[in-house]
Amino acid sequence: MGEQWGFYFDPDSCMGCNACSIACKNRHDTDAGHVDWRRVETVSEGAFPDYEETNISLSCMHCEDAPCEEVCPTGAIEKRESDGIVTIDQDKCIGCGYCGWACPYGAPQYGDDGLMQKCNLCLDKGPGSGADAPSKNEQQANGEALEPACVDECVGDALDAGPVGELLDRASQEAAERFEQNRTNVIIDSTGENSVTGMQGVRQATEDS
């Protein structure tokens, strides 16, 4: 497989402004209402006066072993060999919704056309448009890679995207070590003194909270 692409997210730098989710909607012209390829959620911990909130920006995690791909009956969902990005080919999608049920992050969602759509890491613009796009690694080498809208518009520099090997340089040592031990998705973040920055996933944070 070509080098895996993914997202880096630093919760300590996120202000919860939702610029990332709005930028995503604008670039891909997704529905203003119920379709959210990227969303910001707030995780709370503790009780007054030791109460903390952490903003978490979530989208498709482009999982190593994507459960959405495993349950898709038509082969519309593909974990691309060229860059590890998970795409939905809307020409093959029948709108059965299995992928939405299988995804632990709620990434695949119905559009108004009754077909599933989700983050394509800005391979191209528009639902389903990235399915047959050239490798993100190839685009980058040619200077043609489209930087994800969420990264472009992040006010606090909390989001980044790129080849995982490059993103690891931004992660904390603890996060990088955990990612190497379990590449299925997750690098953690937690609040407080032991806070670490991570990439590709925040599953551990929500499970521990």
Side-chain angles (χ1 to χ4, degrees), residues 83-117:
D83 50 23
I85 297 173
V86 177
T87 59
I88 300 177
D89 184 346
Q90 292 197 313
D91 289 338
K92 296 179 181 177
C93 178
I94 57 175
C96 65
Y98 289 174
C99 55
W101 297 331
C103 175
Y105 308 107
Q109 298 165 44
Y110 279 112
D112 283 344
D113 57 3
L115 304 178
M116 302 304 281
Q117 54 179 264

Side-chain angles (χ1 to χ4, degrees), residues 1-15:
M1 176 182 286
E3 188 167 12
Q4 167 78 51
W5 276 61
F7 286 109
Y8 165 93
F9 173 65
D10 179 359
D12 293 331
S13 299
C14 179
M15 298 179 284

Side-chain angles (χ1 to χ4, degrees), residues 52-66:
E52 293 186 14
E53 289 186 343
T54 302
N55 298 310
I56 300 173
S57 179
L58 284 168
S59 72
C60 173
M61 301 296 177
H62 304 284
C63 303
E64 186 90 359
D65 298 313

Side-chain angles (χ1 to χ4, degrees), residues 160-208:
D160 198 358
V164 167
E166 295 180 12
L167 297 178
L168 281 172
D169 291 339
R170 292 196 60 184
S172 69
Q173 182 176 353
E174 180 181 353
E177 289 174 355
R178 291 198 185 191
F179 181 74
E180 291 299 334
Q181 292 168 6
N182 180 6
R183 298 182 68 92
T184 55
N185 253 340
V186 185
I187 292 189
I188 24 92
D189 92 90
S190 59
T191 58
E193 295 180 357
N194 297 321
S195 177
V196 295
T197 56
M199 42 177 288
Q200 268 209 299
V202 287
R203 195 176 191 175
Q204 188 72 35
T206 52
E207 287 178 352
D208 287 347

Side-chain angles (χ1 to χ4, degrees), residues 67-78 92-94 96 98-99:
C68 57
E69 180 188 32
E70 293 178 9
V71 300
C72 179
T74 66
I77 298 183
E78 178 189 10
K92 296 179 181 177
C93 178
I94 57 175
C96 65
Y98 289 174
C99 55

